[in-house]
């Protein structure tokens, strides 16, 4: 079979290259172990750093609120309590490792704990909003800092915003803690991954062990040990596969046996006429001056044996050809009535010789798509047998009928009939009920095997009903239209 034609190639998951099953099993196991672990640690680290930032911002907000409150109370912006608060502002900035900037109503910076922007203007969106009474918290993730802006009111009664207090602080120290934790977990993850890989490889080796066992057993079978017990029931799948394979092997065994039987039958059948010829020739040679009539008689016997040998060989060739492939059917539209009539016309002299009456009963006109030569051979074999295995003054009736799908050829005879026990076997190659009688009539024992082959090639069926001593009826059922 061509690789491209293989039906299992249609499965989307069929890998392009063949790999050991251990590989996907190991990969899956590693992924199942690692994905949840990585997800968990990542989630923990991200939420941990977020929680730290949130906590620091909340604390800065409350600090800023306290400071702005105090500034309001000491009237910081008018310059009164500025000196008193300077230390406190610096301390607050240092505690949070940040920078505090105070902006007055003119957007001018009047205090900067870094002492680099005093007297400069600070006009930013957050500051403008702050003068409208809004408190804002901004966190810049990329630059890793946050800014909290709070208004400074004129007094507790007068809610006019007279200044803005801005505190910016870097989150770098906080994040570097979580980063070092992340580094440590990465190391842990690598160790876990290593352990997972080793465990997954071990598990995949263990899980695929029954498959390897099955392979070893199948290997024994392939070496010729057809009796090896291959049932591997470690998994339901291996049990099913091994059972299926065992079934195939037992069928193969049967085929092998029948092939051996066939070969020995063929040898035996071919040897029999040759042995007879040898015996006849030897006795002729041993006779010395035998009369010409005796020579002629012996030569006629030899000729009969040669005919038999040739019959067997022809029948064998026909069977072999049919076994090859059904593509060899040469299908055409055939008038079956005319075909049967022709067969009967050809066989009538033989039937007359045996004093057997041949009758054709055509129930309707039938035209079908068949291989004319092969179907003719199949029907001829049945009619010939019906004549051969008949009694003197007997009859053979061939009936042709059809329905919308099939045509039926029924060959009934008044002959010797067939024992019920052997009815299944008479279609086997070389099987004969009465070897002596069959030989007498020149039968090869292949006629019914050929007929059955032809019928099966046409996707039809053959049925036998017979009673010993009363006669037999063979019925062929062939489809009117051949579907390849
Ligand atoms: P053969 O060449 O011996 O006739 P077949 O395959 O045609 O071989 O038939 C197999 C055997 O079936 C025959 O030997 C015969 O014993 C039996 N048989 C076939 N047809 C009939 C029949 N119409 N009546 C009785 N026996 C038959």
């Amino acid at each position: 079979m061509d690789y491209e034609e293989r039906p299992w190639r249609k499965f989307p998951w069929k890998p392009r290259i063949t790999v050991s099953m251990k590989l996907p099993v190991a990969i899956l196991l590693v992924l199942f172990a690692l994905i949840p672990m990585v997800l968990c640690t990542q989630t923990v680290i991200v939420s941990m750093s977020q929680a730290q930032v949130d906590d620091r911002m909340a604390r800065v907000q409350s600090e800023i609120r306290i400071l702005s409150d105090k500034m309001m109370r000491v009237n910081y912006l008018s310059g009164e309590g500025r000196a008193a608060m300077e230390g406190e502002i610096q301390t607050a900035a240092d505690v949070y490792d940040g920078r505090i900037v105070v902006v007055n109503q003119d957007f001018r910076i009047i205090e900067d704990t870094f002492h680099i922007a005093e007297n400069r203007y600070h006009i930013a969106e957050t500051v403008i909003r702050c003068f409208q009474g809004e408190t804002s918290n901004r966190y810049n993730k990329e630059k890793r800092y946050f800014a909290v802006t709070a208004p400074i009111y004129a007094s507790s009664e007068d809610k006019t915003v007279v200044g803005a207090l801005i505190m910016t602080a870097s989150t770098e120290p906080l994040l570097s803690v979580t980063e070092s934790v992340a580094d440590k977990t990465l190391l842990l993850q690598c160790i876990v991954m290593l352990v997972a890989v080793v465990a997954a490889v071990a598990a995949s080796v263990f899980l695929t062990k029954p498959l390897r066992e099955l392979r070893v057993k199948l290997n024994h079978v392939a070496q010729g040990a057809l009796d090896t017990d291959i049932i591997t029931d470690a998994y339901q799948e291996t049990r099913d596969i091994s059972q299926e394979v065992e079934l195939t092997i037992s069928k193969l065994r049967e085929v092998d046996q029948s092939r051996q039987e066939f070969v020995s039958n063929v040898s035996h059948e071919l040897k029999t006429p040759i042995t007879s010829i040898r015996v006849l020739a030897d006795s002729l040679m041993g006779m010395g001056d035998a009369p010409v009539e005796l020579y002629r008689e012996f030569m006629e016997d030899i000729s009969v044996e040669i005919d038999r040998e040739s019959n067997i060989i022809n029948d064998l060739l026909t069977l072999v050809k049919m076994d090859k492939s059904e593509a060899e059917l040469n299908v055409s539209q055939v008038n079956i009535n005319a075909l049967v009539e022709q067969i009967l016309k050809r066989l009538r002299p033989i039937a007359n010789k045996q004093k057997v009456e041949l009758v054709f009963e055509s129930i309707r006109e039938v035209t079908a798509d068949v291989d004319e030569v092969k179907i003719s051979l199949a029907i001829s074999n049945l009619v010939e047998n019906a004549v051969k295995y008949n009694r003197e003054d007997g009859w053979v009736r061939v009936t042709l009928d059809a329905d919308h799908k099939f045509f039926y050829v029924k060959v009934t005879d008044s002959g010797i009939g067939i024992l019920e026990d052997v009815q299944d076997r008479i279609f086997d190659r070389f099987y004969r009920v009465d070897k002596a009688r069959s030989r007498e009539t020149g039968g090869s024992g292949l006629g019914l095997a050929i007929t059955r082959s032809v019928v099966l090639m046409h996707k039809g069926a053959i049925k036998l009903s017979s009673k010993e001593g009363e006669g037999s009826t063979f019925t062929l059922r062939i489809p009117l239209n051949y579907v390849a």
Side-chain angles (χ1 to χ4, degrees):
M1 183 169 30
D2 190 57
Y3 183 70
E4 290 303 319
E5 283 171 16
R6 293 177 189 183
W8 56 85
R9 283 199 27 94
K10 287 186 189 135
F11 290 117
W13 42 263
K14 169 78 175 82
R16 294 243 154 228
I17 44 163
T18 307
V19 290
S20 163
M21 199 180 144
K22 276 180 264 169
L23 187 68
V25 171
I27 291 175
L28 282 179
L29 288 173
V30 169
L31 288 181
F32 286 147
L34 286 188
I35 291 176
M37 186 187 71
V38 171
L39 281 179
C40 278
T41 44
Q42 279 313 108
T43 318
V44 167
I45 286 168
V46 168
S47 45
M48 198 172 96
S49 64
Q50 188 62 47
Q52 276 182 311
V53 171
D54 289 349
D55 177 61
R56 176 64 61 93
M57 271 172 78
R59 276 201 263 158
V60 167
Q61 273 169 25
S62 90
E63 186 67 43
I64 285 284
R65 222 172 294 129
I66 293 166
L67 277 178
S68 80
D69 236 37
K70 232 175 192 178
M71 284 173 171
M72 177 190 76
R73 274 189 274 116
V74 300
N75 220 346
Y76 181 87
L77 282 152
S78 64
E80 284 170 27
R82 195 174 294 178
M85 281 204 69
E86 207 160 313
E88 202 174 327
I89 293 171
Q90 189 63 51
T91 315
D94 292 345
V95 166
Y96 294 103
D97 204 10
R99 177 185 183 183
I100 295 179
V101 168
V102 183
V103 177
N104 68 11
Q105 263 177 319
D106 305 330
F107 294 96
R108 193 183 279 274
I109 296 171
I110 57 164
E111 174 68 53
D112 175 7
T113 53
F114 278 14
H115 306 294
I116 49 175
E118 275 141 346
N119 288 323
R120 287 197 197 156
Y121 287 101
H122 184 29
I123 308 167
E125 192 201 337
T126 47
V127 179
I128 296 168
R129 285 220 190 135
C130 187
F131 279 106
Q132 289 162 359
E134 208 176 282
T135 307
S136 65
N137 314 304
R138 288 268 164 94
Y139 176 46
N140 190 325
K141 215 173 183 177
E142 264 171 40
K143 293 186 179 159
R144 296 185 166 196
Y145 78 92
F146 63 82
V148 179
T149 312
I152 306 167
Y153 297 110
S155 68
S156 47
E157 293 84 32
D158 181 5
K159 290 290 177 198
T160 314
V161 181
V162 290
L165 185 57
I166 305 144
M167 181 161 177
T168 48
S170 167
T171 55
E172 197 70 54
L174 293 178
L175 295 178
S176 63
V177 174
T178 41
E179 268 162 18
S180 87
V181 172
D183 284 349
K184 283 197 182 107
T185 55
L186 188 71
L187 185 75
L188 197 77
Q189 279 176 23
C190 288
I191 295 169
V192 171
M193 184 160 132
L194 216 74
V195 174
V197 168
V198 174
V201 169
S204 69
V205 170
F206 175 73
L207 289 174
T208 52
K209 193 172 165 233
L211 292 175
R212 283 196 301 283
E213 281 173 10
L214 181 59
R215 207 199 70 198
V216 170
K217 288 175 185 173
L218 290 178
N219 200 21
H220 284 158
V221 174
Q223 306 280 316
L226 292 183
D227 291 333
T228 312
D229 175 19
I230 60 159
I231 299 296
T232 310
D233 47 14
Y235 301 126
Q236 198 181 330
E237 288 77 7
T238 52
R239 194 197 54 205
D240 291 351
I241 292 174
S242 53
Q243 278 175 350
E244 292 294 329
V245 174
E246 193 165 75
L247 201 74
T248 314
I249 291 171
S250 74
K251 279 192 182 149
L252 277 178
R253 230 184 273 142
E254 272 169 32
V255 170
D256 190 50
Q257 205 177 335
S258 83
R259 187 184 55 86
Q260 280 177 12
E261 241 170 60
F262 180 65
V263 170
S264 87
N265 282 344
V266 169
S267 328
H268 176 75
E269 295 298 329
L270 291 177
K271 249 174 86 183
T272 315
I274 289 184
T275 314
S276 304
I277 294 170
R278 158 140 244 142
V279 170
L280 287 165
D282 281 353
S283 12
L284 254 188
M285 280 190 294
M287 274 183 216
D289 295 335
V292 179
E293 290 74 37
L294 203 66
Y295 268 101
R296 182 162 295 131
E297 199 183 310
F298 272 55
M299 288 316 282
E300 271 167 12
D301 288 349
I302 288 176
S303 167
V304 167
E305 293 301 332
I306 290 172
D307 280 349
R308 180 168 307 150
E309 184 87 8
S310 136
N311 273 350
I312 295 172
I313 292 170
N314 283 341
D315 282 356
L316 266 176
L317 287 177
T318 312
L319 258 182
V320 169
K321 257 196 237 158
M322 275 191 289
D323 276 353
K324 258 203 230 150
S325 117
E326 67 182 274
E328 283 175 29
L329 271 188
N330 187 9
V331 177
S332 62
Q333 270 224 334
V334 178
N335 181 325
I336 307 296
N337 301 66
L339 183 90
V340 175
E341 265 163 25
Q342 215 180 340
I343 293 168
L344 296 189
K345 193 174 158 197
R346 190 165 48 78
L347 294 177
R348 197 152 272 128
I350 305 170
N352 289 343
K353 214 162 137 193
Q354 309 243 347
K355 298 204 176 90
V356 172
E357 189 192 1
L358 268 185
V359 186
F360 179 34
E361 200 176 291
S362 166
I363 294 176
R364 67 192 77 238
E365 277 293 310
V366 179
T367 315
D369 295 338
V370 291
D371 182 321
E372 187 169 3
V373 177
K374 290 196 174 79
I375 282 289
S376 166
L377 183 66
I379 300 173
S380 297
N381 283 346
L382 293 183
V383 182
E384 262 177 68
N385 280 350
V387 174
K388 270 197 294 187
Y389 303 105
N390 218 313
R391 57 179 163 80
E392 215 172 294
D393 296 322
W395 50 264
V396 173
R397 190 171 60 243
V398 182
T399 316
L400 175 64
D401 196 4
D403 56 25
H404 63 292
K405 261 178 143 180
F406 301 97
F407 70 88
Y408 304 86
V409 180
K410 206 150 95 175
V411 181
T412 312
D413 65 59
S414 60
I416 58 172
I418 302 163
L419 248 175
E420 210 172 319
D421 297 355
V422 299
Q423 285 184 9
D424 282 345
R425 301 196 55 198
I426 58 160
F427 296 98
D428 292 351
R429 294 161 184 199
F430 297 118
Y431 184 81
R432 296 154 172 139
V433 180
D434 179 350
K435 294 226 172 231
R437 177 163 182 158
S438 173
R439 275 226 180 85
E440 246 170 56
T441 52
S444 65
L446 295 171
L448 287 180
I450 292 173
T451 300
R452 190 181 56 173
S453 268
V454 171
V455 170
L456 294 182
M457 280 169 91
H458 283 82
K459 299 192 168 51
I462 183 163
K463 205 179 83 185
L464 161 67
S465 80
S466 178
K467 222 169 182 193
E468 209 193 2
E470 286 181 20
S472 316
T473 301
F474 286 86
T475 312
L476 300 189
R477 191 192 72 186
I478 313 280
L480 290 169
N481 298 307
Y482 177 76
V483 182

